[in-house]
Amino acid sequence: MPKKEKNEVQELKEKLFSQPKHAVQRMSDAERKDCDKFCEAYKDFMNTAKTEREINAFVIDALSQQGYQEFAPGMKLNAGDKIYLNNRGKSVIMATIGKADIREGVRLCAAHIDSPRLDMKQHPLYENQEIGYFKTHYYGGIKKYQWTTVPLSLHGVIIKKNGEKVNIRIGEEESDPVFYITDLLPHLADEQMRRTAPQIIKGEELNIVIGSMPLKADKGNELVKLALMKLLNEKYGITEDDFLSAELEAVPAYKAKDVGFDRSLIGAYGHDDKVCSYPAFRASLDVTAPEHTSVVILTDKEETGSDGNTGLKSSYLRYFLEDLAECFGANGRAVMRASKCLSADVNAGFDPTFPEVLEKNNCAYLNHGVCVTKFTGARGKSGTSDASAEFVGEVRKILDDGDVIWQTGELGRVDLGGGGTVAAYIANLDIDTIDIGVPVLSMHAPYELVAKTDVWAAYRAFKVFLEA
Ligand code: MN
Ligand code: MN
């Protein structure tokens, strides 16, 4: 081919074809620095707040320090005012009042703050052959075998009979003990290895080792259990019945760390969905004088289907928007109809070791920015929230105008599986909603992987959208 013709082909391709680019080709040195700084703060957050309760407390503490006021129906609000609503210590809504009339709608960004984990049962404590255990019931979709032989920390609350609340957080400090679930040695695992993968470790085998030292006594049984209960009684003032009114969650005790020689990735427990909720929270803090009222929702219970009064299938978001509308003498329905939402949730990143589960032209790649997903759902888009082309066009313009690095992709190839997010429940409120999120590798594993540039891109996307 003559040289000139080749150039014409190239020119035409550049003009007409999509030109996906790695984030590093698009970011200035200054932006790379901002990105790294943001990710350092993200890692600190990951090590500080691991569960929905801890994130709720962390966020509300930060909001109070930044001058956010607790929302009360009927309160007088002006442009620039910042408010929050604490839903039962597990979900939080934060908002910055915009300059425009509330009837022009609000800009929403929603993400969840619960992550897959192991919950203690209500009768958790037992002893078996002189080892003390907690019985668990797993929360969210996990590969159970991944949760054995990793250091675990324990988080949550115990409500005593007198109503007193005991906060538990053990296994995160350097000097803390951790907890542990055993697996079989390979030498004796012949039969176990013949089980199918979901059964390699069964639900009732996820038993957490919590001790092994019996009470020193000549007689008596359950002396390990007794010694453990004595210890817990001395430390927390609880008796065994207090576990009945407790929420104790075991999560990996790992710290968030840079991954790779080039430190371009972050490994951590619970990127799903702190990697969307933290950038959304930070975007809310940094939005000071938005045109439209900006609202960020950090919700609970996404991993179990969003049911319950702290999940987004409940009415707490709708009630908040109605109450907010009433503060301005507006109709909640009208506000919702005019509102727009980014439903922020992680997506499956392309993993070159397992290429077959994704379709290469329509999936998210690490370091290619935050991923916009027009529709979710399984099989024939069952259970989907499918954003209209008009709304996709609007979001596309906002992101491009804001110089946000973004890509599009769907969760898996057709008919393989799929999944939903909270998008459908917000869209069902008559709000234009689209999915967006950070690509993750090893999603729902005890230690998940994301790329730093994508975390940064998520923050930038939420900020420009809330300010649009
Ligand atoms: Mn998830
Ligand atoms: Mn998620």
Side-chain angles (χ1 to χ4, degrees), residues 317-346:
L317 171 62
R318 180 164 66 86
Y319 293 161
F320 170 78
L321 292 173
E322 285 173 353
D323 289 346
L324 184 66
E326 276 173 26
C327 290
F328 298 92
N331 177 298
R333 270 199 324 245
V335 171
M336 283 184 259
R337 191 175 312 124
S339 293
K340 299 167 198 303
C341 175
L342 294 185
S343 170
D345 204 330
V346 294

Side-chain angles (χ1 to χ4, degrees), residues 112 272-273 302-303 345-346 444:
H112 68 94
D272 178 5
D273 228 291
E302 193 278 340
E303 296 294 357
D345 204 330
V346 294
H444 285 204

